[in-house]
Structure formats: C-alpha cells, structure tokens
Amino acid sequence: MVDTGYDEWIEAIGAGEGYYLDCPEDHGSLPPRRTCPHCGALELAERPLPESGTVETFSVVHVASPSFADDTPYATGVVDFGPVRLTGVIRGIEFDDLEVGTSVGVGVEESETTGEPVVVFRPR
Amino acid sequence: MTAVRVAGVGLTHFGRHPDRTGRDLFAEAALAAREDAGVPREDIEALHYGNFMGALAERQAHQGPLVAEAAGLSCPATRYEQACASAGVAARQGIKDIRNGENDVVLVGGMERMTNLETAGVTESLAIAADELYEVRAGITFPGAYALMARAYLSQFGGSREDLAHIASKNHHNAVNNEYAQYQREVTVDEALDSPPVAEPLHLFDACPITDGASALVLVSDEYAEEHDLDAPVAITGSGQGGDKMALQDREHLAQTPAATKAADEAYADAGRTSDDVDVAEVHDCFTIAEVLALESLGFYEPGEAIGAARRGETTRDGDRPVNLSGGLKAKGHPVGATGGSQLVEMTRLLRGDHPNSDVVADAEVGLTHNAGGTVASAVVHLLEVVN
Ligand SMILES: [Zn+2]
C-alpha cells in the first residue's frame, strides 16, 4: 500500500533526515497534513526533527497483534522530541533499565514479524 | 425542553456466544426492551445502533437495517461507529432527536460479536481504534495504548499496581449477583497482581475480557410517556460529547482524558447538575487505569487523586459514591459496540430499583454514565435522574 506523505516521512527518518511539520505559530505535527491541528494554519513547513528525545511513557508488550507476534516481548513508547512526539518500538536497552526520561534517538528498522519498517528508538 | 424518558431496557447475557449471529443478539436485547417498555412496535420511529468491528468480525457492514429487521422494526435505522463509544453516540443521537421534537419514540443500543474471532484477530480488530499510521504500525495494541497512559499516570502522580488491582477486585465483587455479567465471580487483589502481564504495567486482570452481547433501550418523550400512561420513572436529563486528538502522541496530556471532561461539563450543564450531585456512576473501565482517568475527568477527583479511590473504599458499594455496580466493563464484559447502551440499561435499573444492586443505592436520584472511544479520543457522558 502506498501512503503518500507517511511513506516519504518514514523513509526520511530511516535516512537520518527525519522531519516534522511546523506552522507559523510553531505548532509541531506530522504528515500527511494539510492544516495545523492546533490553530488551523495552512502554511506548514518541514523542519528537521531534533537529534534526540526523551521517553515520556513506555510499555513492554507481551500480547501483540498478528503483525507484531514474533516481536514479543517488545518495548513501545511515546518519545518527546520537543515540537512533536513520536510513537515507536524501543530497542537496545534492557527492559529493566528503561525508564521515563531515558534519552533516545530515532531510526527505522524492520518488524521481526513482517519485515515492515517500524519507527525504532535506541538509547543515545 | 422535552424530557427524555427511559421506557424500557434490555440486555443479552454478556459473555461468550461465538455461535450466535449479531442480528440474533441484538434482536434479543431489543425485544426485551420493547417488552419492558410496553410500547407498540409501530410507534418506534427510528433505530440508532452502535457497532464497531462487525465488518471484520462478521463480514457484515450496513448493519442498521439488518438489525432493525431482526428486531421487528420497520423504521429508519442507522449504525454509529465510534470505537468503544459506539452505543453511547447512538443513544445520544436518539436523545437529541426526541428533544428536538423530531421523534417521540426511538430504540437505541448496540451489539458486538467478538469471541468468534481468535484472540489475535480481536487484538488486530481492536487496534484499529488507534491511529493506523502512527500507532498501529508502531506496535501499539489497545492494551498497549492504555499501558502507555497507565505508565504516564503512575510516573506523573504516583500510585501502584496494587491500587489498580483494588479496582479490578471491586468491580468483580459488584458483578457477582448481576445475571447479565460475563464474570460473576470474585477476584482478589493478589490474584489480580499475580495475573500474567499483557502490556506492562497492565496485567491480564487489569483488562476487560473479550465479550459478545447486545444492549437496547426504548426512549420516549415526556409527552408520549404521559399520553400513554407509561411507567417510566427514569429520565435522561443531560447529554454531552467530547473529542480529542486521535493519537496519544498528539495529545496535550498522556495521563488525563480531557474529552471526557468536555463531555461531562456539557452533560452537567445540560442537566443543571454538578459532579457533587451524582450518587452513582457507571464508567468506562476497559482497563483499571481507565476508571481512574474517568473519575478525574468527571470531576469526582482532582488529577492524581482517583488512583486510590477503590482501595480507600470510596467507590466501593459501601462507599460514598459507588462506581460500576454492574461490575463494569472489567467483570460485566465489554462487547465494544454495545457497551455504552449497557451502561444506560444498568443505570436505569439501578435507579428504578430492579437491579440486583439497587439496594446499595436505594436513595440515589442522580446517576452518571461515561462511555469512551479508543484511548478517549471520544467520550460520551449522560446523566440519568429519578423523576417519577
Ligand atoms: Zn498551528
């Protein structure tokens, strides 16, 4: 399936050139988007995603949907990058060492189950 | 304004009915509601019906006319899909139509058939209530999303898994004598704590089960109730709906549910009530943490304070404001598209005095129902009052 806007975005993340959308009032959002969800502005510009973010919340998932069945158990989390937050899988850290506030970078790796691209955070 | 009376209510048993079609489940609830109301079939002017995953679970879309036919109705019938708040929005639409004078008699409710799918299929079907691009593809399941909210809450405000286990135990205790409930059995705090992890910090007994079932209510205008001398002592006096960003990552708060606050504020204003007036509540506890978030959004507690409410005995059956006397989604079960309707049914019976737990709230006059969709990207709140 082709998802214009999202596909380009996840490719850019994978290439280390992640971006977010910024409106004239500096509200961050993610593509595909025609209007700022906060203020309705129509002028959205791509800005580089900050290098690192902090884990705002996370979970270790033991029961997954079929497309993540072979990935279990895996950690998933919401990471705060400042202007935007991203959701993804957290790898490269023992579950017991993971905590709210952990500093991570973002990339794209494959799902162990389907080989599909997944937003992945690793400590940095 | 035209008041809306609950003339009749009906439920199927909530539980495992993998071999029964959705149309049959809804027909059972609808016929029970019609019989309870004693309203002639041909007086029902519209059906507002909630269903979430029928297109996946039964390969059946366009369910409105199908279930109307099964329920013996020949009126316009519309399906509402709002994830777990489907029946809540369906009921709200019926209420609005009576209040604006368009209809005098409507049937509202919902149905979900889930146990005919394998657990993996249910998990996948429920996950689509989240943002497909930014949450589902990132490995988020429905329990996983609530786990993220739970971790954010515990991290921001404190509280423990034991506090959550007290909520599970309380709601199971309430379900023991509810014949419609999926689990009419006690769960101890230790049992809940020791159950296997699903999406940490949430374990199996923090989660509602997979359930089949249907709910239905006949709602009528005050004028119709009077004209036909109906015995309908409970009225829906307030209705509200709120929305929020779809994905958790786009919300202002990860440990608060402002959509429910908006819905509650609107419902309170509509009824001319405040949170202090509410004697008893049925809230959307699809996970134990969801009950905590609900109690705070509804104004019963300040943010960070509701986590210990069950442990302190404030929301238990002998507390000041009992919550989920039906057993809640946790023990009563959560047939997604039927849930919002079932909360209205249970609350009506509690206030009318014909619920097995009515004696717990014998003097109650004001009840509240809170029905949430997804991770509370949508919420519907209703106030019900004894008006005689
Ligand atoms: Zn903006």
Side-chain angles (χ1 to χ4, degrees), chain A residues 23-28 36-41 44:
Chain A
C23 84
E25 296 193 33
D26 288 333
H27 299 126
C36 173
H38 304 281
C39 69
L44 301 178

Side-chain angles (χ1 to χ4, degrees), chain A residues 3 6 9 30-32 37 56-66 68 74 76 78 85-89 100, chain B residues 120 123-124 133-134 136-141 144 147-148 151-152 155 197-200 245 248-252 254:
Chain A
D3 292 300
Y6 178 81
W9 178 78
L30 296 170
E56 196 172 343
T57 184
F58 66 94
S59 171
V60 177
V61 177
H62 295 265
V63 180
S65 65
F68 277 83
Y74 60 92
T76 179
V78 176
R85 297 195 194 101
L86 300 187
T87 307
V89 172
V100 170
Chain B
T123 305
E124 184 166 61
L133 293 182
Y134 285 101
V136 180
R137 291 190 196 187
I140 298 293
T141 59
L148 294 177
R151 176 93 57 189
S155 163
V198 173
E200 295 176 69
K245 303 284 191 296
L248 283 174
Q249 66 186 22
D250 296 326
R251 307 249 180 98
E252 193 178 343
L254 295 181

Side-chain angles (χ1 to χ4, degrees), chain B residues 309-367:
Chain B
R311 182 174 47 75
R312 294 189 297 263
E314 294 158 8
T315 50
T316 52
R317 54 196 299 141
D318 44 6
D320 281 349
R321 188 191 280 120
V323 171
N324 286 332
L325 282 172
S326 69
L329 284 53
K330 174 71 194 84
K332 181 189 65 181
H334 182 25
V336 178
T339 291
S342 75
Q343 295 174 318
L344 292 167
V345 171
E346 299 276 8
M347 185 56 69
T348 300
R349 295 173 69 224
L350 282 164
L351 294 177
R352 282 197 317 206
D354 61 330
H355 191 283
N357 284 330
S358 282
D359 58 334
V360 175
V361 284
D363 299 325
E365 288 180 0
V366 180

Side-chain angles (χ1 to χ4, degrees), chain A residues 2-20:
Chain A
V2 176
D3 292 300
T4 303
Y6 178 81
D7 288 354
E8 290 79 358
W9 178 78
I10 202 160
E11 252 174 58
I13 297 261
E17 296 165 359
Y19 56 84
Y20 67 96

Side-chain angles (χ1 to χ4, degrees), chain B residues 4 19 25 27 44 49 70 80 95 101 137 174-175 177-178 194 199 236 282 329 347-349 355 373 376:
Chain B
V4 176
D19 303 330
L25 287 167
I44 297 174
Y49 165 81
Y80 295 78
I95 291 161
R137 291 190 196 187
N174 288 339
N177 58 2
N178 182 357
D194 293 343
I236 298 174
E282 288 285 314
L329 284 53
M347 185 56 69
T348 300
R349 295 173 69 224
H355 191 283
V376 204

